[in-house]
Amino acid sequence: SQQGEEDPQALSIQEGENATMNCSYKTSINNLQWYRQNSGRGLVHLILIRSNEREKHSGRLRVTLDTSKKSSSLLITASRAADTASYFCATATGRRALTFGSGTRLQVQP
Amino acid sequence: KAGVTQTPRYLIKTRGQQVTLSCSPISGHRSVSWYQQTPGQGLQFLFEYFSETQRNKGNFPGRFSGRQFSNSRSEMNVSTLELGDSALYLCASSLGTEHYGYTFGSGTRLTVV
């Protein structure tokens, strides 16, 4: 079963625009992670935010976490065509394995 | 340093056959996790091995099994293949503690005909 659900399922924007993806989850977590997957390839770890953190930045990425609402958002600023990919949130709970959401497909038009 | 290596990259098998997939983690990583990815079910967790012991297991039938060797390399085996086993199988390695991300391999694309 999947813990996280991303919203929207698909997103199409123009280069230079910002892209925002949301993730909701159901149970308490230790941390939440975001991954990117280019078509048919392995996933690439983008950023990890712990349950006691509210916001984290990495380059053009900004992640927020609201544990009271059990939700997170990933913002990609000044998007590029190379950002076209699927983005997944994943939650870590105790010693259990990472549980992935269903993903958001991002298309950045040049 | 070298990434996570999965072999083979592509595989075509016939229903009823069995298959073994291999994963070599990043040096120093003791945890290896396996996931099945399909368009309909998304990323489903199969199992995780840590220091040669299965630490977590997903909700897959007993036809799916795995193991981890002393050098942390891992294999997963699927017996009596079914058409529905066609998927991208992803292996991920990590240090095995909770606040580290996973490093994924490129996956093995299995097609069952």
Side-chain angles (χ1 to χ4, degrees), chain B residues 44-60:
Chain B
Q44 299 286 320
F45 170 69
L46 282 156
F47 25 68
E48 178 200 8
Y49 286 88
F50 182 82
S51 295
E52 301 179 66
T53 301
Q54 188 179 85
R55 186 159 75 171
N56 286 295
K57 187 177 187 303
N59 295 323
F60 277 80

Side-chain angles (χ1 to χ4, degrees), chain B residues 57-79:
Chain B
K57 187 177 187 303
N59 295 323
F60 277 80
R63 301 186 297 108
F64 292 80
S65 63
R67 58 179 175 169
Q68 186 180 33
F69 302 94
S70 59
N71 62 357
S72 291
R73 190 177 72 84
S74 177
E75 289 181 347
M76 68 163 281
N77 183 276
V78 187
S79 62

Side-chain angles (χ1 to χ4, degrees), chain A residues 13-19 60 76-83 108-110:
Chain A
I13 58 174
Q14 298 292 124
E15 253 189 337
E17 294 181 337
N18 295 342
R60 292 184 297 113
I76 304 174
T77 60
S79 61
R80 306 165 182 168
D83 295 328
V108 181
Q109 307 286 352

